[in-house]
Amino acid sequence: VVAAVSGSVSLVAVLANVLVAGVVGPATVLGLLGGLIWPIWPLLGGAMGRVAGWCADWIIHIADRAAALPGASLGWAPGAFSLASLTLLCVLVAWGAPRYLAGARRTLAGASALVVGMVQPLPLLGPVLDWPPDGWLMVACDVGQGDALVLNSGPGAAVVIDAGPDPGSVDRCLRRLGIDRVPVIVLTHFHADHIDGLTGVLRDREVGEVLVTGVRDPPHGADQVDRDAAGIPVRVPTYAEVAQVGAVTWQVVGPAGSGGDDHGEEGSAANNASLVLLAEVGGVRILLTGDAEPEAQQGLARSLGALRVDVLKVPHHGSRYQDEEFLAGLGARLAVVSAGQDNDYGHPSLETLESLRRAGMEVRRTDLDGDVAVLVREGQLRVATSR
C-alpha cells in the first residue's frame, strides 16, 4: 500500500517505528486529555499538552533522520505488475527469512549488511552508476510533486532554487551531488511543494541567505520559512537585481506584473508572484519560472521582449495553463519538467508536452527520468538522467 501511494519502499520504517513505539501512546493519550482538560484546568491541560509535544517532537526527529539516510528507500513504480512483484517478494521473504535467520551468526551478518547498505549504499546498476555526470551545470532533483533545482556554483557548492515538498528527498539529492555549501537558496513562492523541504537543504550545510518573493501568500507558508530559516538572512530581491555566486550569475526578471483574465489554477495569485530568474552557468542560459501561470508569463513576454534561452524550467510542473506563444518564443532546446509520479494534478499535461515538442524542445521530466542533469560536452548542450 505504501509503495502504491509513495512510489518507494522504505528500508528504515521498521527500525524507525521501533524507536518511536514508546512515545506514540503518550503523545496520543496526553494530547487528547490535555485538549479536553485545558478549558477546565489550563495548568494541568497545558502540562499534558507539553509532554505530548515532546513525544511528537521525538517522532518527527526520528522520521526526519531516518528518511535522510542515503539508502533509506528504494524507488518502486506504482504500476500493477511492479506491485504484484513486490507482493510476491514480500511473501517469499516472509517464508524464507525465519529459516535463513534461524542461527545467531546469520542474523548478525544480515543485520550488519543492512546497516552498511543504508549508511553507505552500493552503486546502483544503470545510469545511476556514474551519477552525477562530470561537468553538470544544473540538476532538477526528483523530489516528487514539487520543484528543487541545483545550479553548480563550484566544487561542493550550489545555488538551490526551491526545496521541494520533502526534506529527505532534497537532502539526498544534494548529497548525491556532493553539495555541502549553499551560498543562496531561492524560494520562488510559499506553496508547500516548494518550501517544505527547506530543512533538508539546511541540514548539515553552510547556507548564506534565503531569497523569497515579496508576496506572503499563503501566510502560513511564509511564516514556516521564517521559522525554518531562523538565524539565516531572509530577504526579498529587487526586480532586475543581478547577482553572481561562483560560476552562477542570475537576474531577477519576475514577477513582472500580470495581464488578462485570471484563468489559471486555484492559488494562481501566489503562483504568479513566483520569483523568476534568468540564470547562466557555464555559458548556458536557463529560465527558472517557478509556478508562473499565463498572466505572469504574459507579463514576462512584455518586459523581456525577444528573450532567448537554452534551457526552460517549465512553469508549474507542466500544468495545462501556459502561454504557448511565450514558451515557444524562448527558443529553448531543452525543457525540464519537475513533477511527481502519478500525481493527482495531471502534471505534466499532454497538451503542454506537445506544445513544447512542437517548439523544437527536447523534454525531460523527473517523474519518468529521475534527477535530470544539464551539461555541455564538446561545445554541445547535453542532458543526463539518473534513471
Side-chain angles (χ1 to χ4, degrees), residues 45-239:
M48 288 182 171
R50 196 169 295 110
V51 176
W54 292 337
C55 295
D57 283 342
W58 174 250
I59 295 171
I60 293 169
H61 174 75
I62 292 298
D64 193 40
R65 300 306 294 181
L69 289 170
S73 64
L74 297 174
W76 203 276
F81 176 77
S82 60
L83 291 177
S85 301
L86 178 61
T87 302
L88 178 61
L89 178 62
C90 290
V91 171
L92 292 175
V93 170
W95 174 80
R99 292 163 175 77
Y100 177 78
L101 300 176
R105 291 182 179 179
R106 288 182 175 180
T107 300
L108 181 60
S112 300
L114 285 173
V115 171
V116 171
M118 285 187 292
V119 175
Q120 186 59 51
L122 296 174
L124 300 178
L125 297 177
V128 179
L129 186 62
D130 297 321
W131 194 261
D134 292 338
W136 65 272
L137 303 176
M138 184 196 87
V139 169
C141 296
D142 177 15
V143 292
Q145 182 61 19
D147 272 7
L149 298 106
V150 187
L151 304 180
N152 190 346
S153 61
V159 174
V160 176
I161 315 296
D162 286 323
D166 172 56
S169 296
V170 68
D171 179 47
R172 288 191 291 274
C173 181
L174 292 173
R175 289 183 187 278
R176 289 194 295 269
L177 297 174
I179 302 301
D180 53 30
R181 289 180 294 111
V182 181
V184 178
I185 176 170
V186 180
L187 300 177
T188 59
H189 61 297
F190 294 110
H191 280 162
D193 56 337
H194 293 253
I195 67 166
D196 277 6
L198 178 57
T199 55
V201 178
L202 303 181
R203 184 180 296 146
D204 301 326
R205 292 183 183 87
E206 177 186 337
V207 178
E209 66 174 345
V210 181
L211 303 185
V212 298
T213 179
V215 178
R216 295 177 66 85
D217 182 11
H220 63 83
D223 293 341
Q224 176 183 320
V225 169
D226 291 339
R227 292 192 301 271
D228 291 345
I232 300 172
V234 178
R235 70 178 181 89
V236 179
T238 59
Y239 178 75

Side-chain angles (χ1 to χ4, degrees), residues 230-291:
I232 300 172
V234 178
R235 70 178 181 89
V236 179
T238 59
Y239 178 75
E241 176 179 316
V242 176
Q244 179 173 0
V245 173
V248 180
T249 60
W250 72 86
Q251 182 178 17
V252 179
V253 296
S258 62
D261 297 330
D262 185 10
H263 55 277
E265 297 182 14
E266 182 181 355
S268 61
N271 290 338
N272 283 333
S274 294
L275 286 177
V276 179
L277 304 184
L278 176 60
E280 184 170 328
V281 191
V284 174
R285 287 161 62 87
I286 307 168
L287 185 63
L288 301 156
T289 56
D291 278 0

